[in-house]
Every structure is written in structure tokens, then in C-alpha cells.
DNA sequence: GGAATAGTGTCTTTAAGACACTATCAA
DNA sequence: TTGATAGTGTCTTAAAGACACTATTCC
């Protein structure tokens, strides 16, 4: 299709990161304050341009992740979320962003990235509700990322990525409740996580706290796909999912 | 992060299309023969660079689709599949492709796009098996697209996009069988498509063929999400989905 | 014993899977 | 009546949802 002396338009590529974690039982997302125009002073997702020298997109995401969270990359689940490339989304020109989703276990209070940015964990709800405004189309990216995480929790063992190496079933339940924003029946939850063979495996040891029966500890099992899946209670049947208009 | 006199690297953006249809009961994918280097003469997915002037990515995908299939765009389901941007994937330089999945009802034999390309429907199996070689990383894109379609058939009403406006339940079953590559029990299939309320609605009329009882005709219903879903028989439980190595 | 947390068992309903025959039409 | 295609009904098993009590520890 290219003609003789025709050259295709080029675009700038960024990666943006939806980094989720649990803090005091609630789902939080990592936001940075933009230090420069455009949207200077506004909250935004961590991210940035690809490096020169043919950096891979996924490598760039890992680089941004460790720059923002100072977190050992191997600890963190990272996956592609989608492309955001509408022509009006960045006032600097045609900037196409590849969004990624990262799931981290709870981190120490100060985020303390190696970058100078002011970074903070913000409750996911504050972003979803629009209470916190984000630069660019980052609110939509954040929404998509959170929705993606919710769905992945149903069919994959992703939930364990929110926990440390060892965790109790109650902790795992709190992960599901926090991410889904629902509350679950303890008995059914125990039944289901244990029915999904390969999801969690007993660590042998117990964890004792002040008062109360000690909890058995588990580790993530070898399976990444849950069967049977843990379907979230909402939206199962009654919800709306009607097509727009017929032709 | 950009320094004072720093400018980010730019990339070329393409769209690639995995266009699937059913021909004589088998899943086919549209391939074109490349008219120029690189990979001249080799089969490839339809696609091309974005137009100048800030063309939207999805618009570019629609444009390529109609250039290749001469198909009314409103008939066709089109959605983003993912980004393919490994630095070595295109010898011309850093070319990042946004892959899309398109599902079309059976088309008349000659593809007859408006472009000069030699385009043809190839059985999906020939691509999956490697019997037909594709340029670039297009085999992986095709594999991902087919797998995506298979999964979407389980949870969405996508299957109707392979049919005309009116179709019989037997035809719908053939869609599932062709895309999944399995054979299904007729009775269970009838039960399930009818249990998923809003999936298909009776068109009132019958279709008569030569010999045999006339079949009731249906149209796509208003629901896009299937509940209960139609889970494919394979992979339900017994399959492997083990994590690579711990840590 | 009391407070705190961890863990379990049963019943009902829904949906999946397996399985073979009846219905309607044209020739 | 035969050939061809369309459509259906039952039983068993798997899993979801609802629901309340027992177990273990620390004080």
C-alpha cells in the first residue's frame, strides 16, 4: 500500500501502569503527581516513554515499575492491559500508551521510589468515583485495569499475588472482598478455594496472633487457572448487558 | 522524566487484522500475499500503517477491513486483540502493531477487495499447524486471535456474528463446533442456547430446504453477555496449567 | 470463663453431561 | 415408505448459595 515516496506517520510510545495493592484491607492504586506540563501538579498513573535503543515494551513497564515502587520485579505480577491511542489524549501530539496491570503484595508505608516524584497509594474507590481526578485518559485506564483484575481473580490464581509467600485463607478471602468490593460467605469461600485443586497448598505451619485460634498457613499452588473458578456474586445473571441499537 | 533537551524515541504504528469466517463448515482466516519487501510473496495478515492526519487506531482497523473484504463495516464485529511490539519483529525498524479481531459471516467466494492484493481464505488449522507460514510474528497473532475468539464464544453472543441476520440453531451449533474444533451434543446445545435468555430470539418464520423438517429461524437477541455461559468441553478441568518455576 | 479468631457440614437449587427417540417435510 | 433434517426429555453428577455452630488459643 505504501506508494513510492511515501513514509508512514510515527507516534510516541509510552507505558502506563495500573499498580494495585491492598492496604489496610482496601484496594489501593499507585498514583504520582506530575512534575511538569502537561497536567502539571495533577495525579496520574506511573509511566513514561520507552527508552532509546529499542527497549521492549514489557521491559519498559518493568523499569517504570521498579522506578516507582522499588520493588523486586520478580515479586510482581505484570501483564498487558491494552492500548490507548486516541489522537486527542495527549496535548503533546500523537502519544500511544500501552497500559499494564501490576499486582503487588502490601508494601511498606513510604512508597519511596527512586524517582523524585511524589507517589502515593490512593484508595481505588476514590479513582473510580471520580473523587480524585487523573491526567490524560488515566481514569479510564485505571477503571479498565481494576475491572481486569476483578475478572482475573475469578479465573486465575492472581489473588495470591496480593499476599506474601505465606498467607491464611482468611487473608485470601479479604483479597477477594477488597478487590471485588463485596463480602463473601466464609464457609462457601473455604469450600471453593479448597475445591480448586492446585490453587493453594498447606505450608504446614500455623500463624499465631494475640488471642484466637491459630490459622493454618498456605502458599500459592502450581495452578494458574482456577477450576472450578470463583465467580463473583454480583453480575452473575440479573445485570444489564444489552446491545446498543439493532443495526 | 524527560530531561531538558531529551526527546523520546518514536515508533511506527500498524494495525493487523485477524479476520475469521466460516466457509463450508470450517473456520477460515483471511490472508494476503505480500507484494513487496520485507517478506515479499509470503502470506500475512491484512493490515497496514496508520494514515497521516491523526487517524484513530480503530478507524484504521475498519479501513483495512473494508479494503480487504469490501464488507459493510456495520456487519462485522471488530475488537482490539493486543499489542505486538518486540523490537526485532519487523526488519524495517521499530514497528508496533495493534492487532484486531474481526468476525464476519460467510462471504461470497471471491474475496475481491478493492486492493490489488491477492487475498484468500485459508483454513485456520493450516495456520495453527504451521502448514502455512506467515510473515513477521503473524502466526502468533493469528493464534492469539483464534484463541480469543474461542474464549469469547463461551461468554458472549459473538457466535451470532458468524451468521447472517437469521439462522437456525443447527447453524449456530456448527459455528461453535467449527471455532472450537469439537463436536457438541445437539440436545445439550439446544437446552443451553435457550437457557441463555436474550441470546437468540425466534424470528417466527421457518426455513425449508430440500427434504427434512423445516428449521425455525432465530435472530441475535439483545444480550451480549451469556448467562449461563457455554463452556467448551475441552480444558474444563483435566488440563495442564502449571506455573513455570517458583520465584 | 470470656473474648477473639479459625474452621466446618447440610440442604436446596442450578446447571452440566450423558444418552436415543420422535417430528416434519420432500421425493 | 424412505431419506433427510429438526427437535426434544430424563437421569445423574457437579457446583453454587444460603445458613449457624464448633474449635482453639490467650487472657
Amino acid at each position: 500500500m505504501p506508494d513510492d515516496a511515501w513514509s508512514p506517520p510515527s507516534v510516541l510510545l509510552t507505558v502506563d501502569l495500573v499498580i494495585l495493592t491492598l492496604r489496610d484491607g482496601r484496594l489501593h492504586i499507585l498514583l504520582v503527581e506530575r512534575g511538569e506540563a502537561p497536567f502539571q501538579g495533577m495525579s496520574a498513573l506511573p509511566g513514561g516513554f520507552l527508552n532509546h535503543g529499542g527497549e521492549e515494551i514489557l521491559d519498559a513497564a518493568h523499569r517504570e515499575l521498579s522506578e516507582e515502587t522499588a520493588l523486586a520485579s520478580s515479586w510482581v505480577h505484570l501483564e498487558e492491559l491494552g492500548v490507548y491511542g486516541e489522537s486527542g489524549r495527549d496535548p503533546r501530539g500523537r502519544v500511544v500508551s500501552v497500559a499494564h496491570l501490576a499486582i503487588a503484595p502490601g508494601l511498606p508505608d513510604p512508597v519511596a521510589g527512586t524517582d523524585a516524584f511524589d507517589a502515593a497509594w490512593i484508595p481505588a474507590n476514590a479513582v473510580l468515583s471520580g473523587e480524585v481526578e487523573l491526567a490524560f485518559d488515566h481514569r479510564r485506564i485505571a477503571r479498565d485495569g481494576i475491572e481486569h483484575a476483578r475478572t482475573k481473580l475469578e479465573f486465575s490464581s492472581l489473588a495470591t499475588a496480593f499476599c506474601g509467600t505465606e498467607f491464611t485463607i482468611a487473608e485470601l478471602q479479604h483479597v477477594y472482598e477488597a478487590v471485588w468490593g463485596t463480602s463473601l460467605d466464609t464457609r462457601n469461600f473455604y469450600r471453593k478455594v479448597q475445591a480448586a485443586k492446585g490453587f493453594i497448598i498447606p505450608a504446614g505451619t500455623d500463624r499465631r496472633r494475640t488471642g484466637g485460634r491459630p490459622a493454618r498457613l498456605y502458599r500459592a499452588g502450581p495452578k494458574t487457572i482456577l477450576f472450578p473458578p470463583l465467580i463473583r456474586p454480583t453480575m452473575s445473571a440479573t445485570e444489564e448487558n444489552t446491545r446498543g441499537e439493532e443495526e
Side-chain angles (χ1 to χ4, degrees), chain A:
Chain A
M1 194 180 336
D3 247 342
D4 238 339
W6 181 89
S7 87
S10 64
V11 304
L12 299 179
L13 248 209
T14 60
V15 292
D16 282 316
L17 268 65
V18 178
I19 308 177
L20 302 178
T21 198
L22 247 57
R23 297 185 70 69
D24 47 74
R26 306 290 305 147
L27 186 66
H28 285 66
I29 182 171
L30 188 68
L31 298 181
V32 299
E33 187 178 333
R34 286 188 57 80
E36 49 196 44
F39 298 104
Q40 182 164 10
M42 206 168 184
S43 288
L45 297 176
F49 290 101
L50 285 208
N51 274 346
H52 281 275
E55 187 181 31
E56 301 298 340
I57 296 174
L58 197 59
D59 290 344
H62 272 109
R63 174 176 53 76
E64 292 290 342
L65 177 65
S66 56
E67 283 174 10
E68 306 295 348
T69 65
L71 198 64
S73 247
S74 54
W75 269 102
V76 176
H77 175 93
L78 186 58
E79 86 185 78
E80 182 187 315
L81 203 54
V83 195
Y84 296 80
E86 275 176 47
S87 56
R89 67 182 290 275
D90 191 319
R92 289 168 296 188
R94 190 67 187 271
V95 178
V96 173
S97 179
V98 182
H100 292 76
L101 177 64
I103 304 291
L107 299 177
D109 263 34
V111 170
T114 59
D115 270 20
F117 292 59
D118 187 12
W121 293 107
I122 305 293
N125 278 338
V127 173
L128 291 177
S129 70
E131 182 188 328
V132 171
E133 272 198 81
L134 299 192
F136 306 105
D137 50 1
H138 284 189
R139 182 167 163 222
R140 190 156 81 88
I141 298 177
R143 262 203 281 103
D144 292 350
I146 292 167
E147 177 55 31
H148 193 89
R150 286 177 170 163
T151 301
K152 281 218 79 164
L153 243 53
E154 300 187 273
F155 299 98
S156 81
S157 59
L158 180 62
T160 59
F162 282 99
C163 305
T165 22
E166 302 199 328
F167 49 86
T168 69
I169 293 189
E171 283 169 358
L172 194 58
Q173 180 176 345
H174 292 148
V175 170
Y176 276 90
E177 291 178 329
V179 176
W180 286 348
T182 57
S183 87
L184 302 173
D185 181 271
T186 312
R187 292 160 288 187
N188 292 340
F189 187 79
Y190 270 69
R191 170 161 43 82
K192 284 153 87 162
V193 294
Q194 281 165 343
K197 274 183 304 208
F199 182 19
I200 57 173
I201 53 183
T205 49
D206 285 358
R207 167 181 301 166
R208 47 204 68 238
R209 309 160 145 276
T210 155
R213 173 176 173 174
R216 293 183 205 140
L217 288 173
Y218 293 84
R219 284 202 218 90
K223 296 295 180 105
T224 55
I225 300 177
L226 261 37
F227 188 85
L230 276 85
I231 304 298
R232 41 182 159 163
T234 326
M235 150 221 149
S236 286
T238 47
E239 297 310 299
E240 289 310 312
N241 58 82
T242 304
R243 225 183 284 266
E245 274 306 304
E246 196 65 276
E247 221 289 334

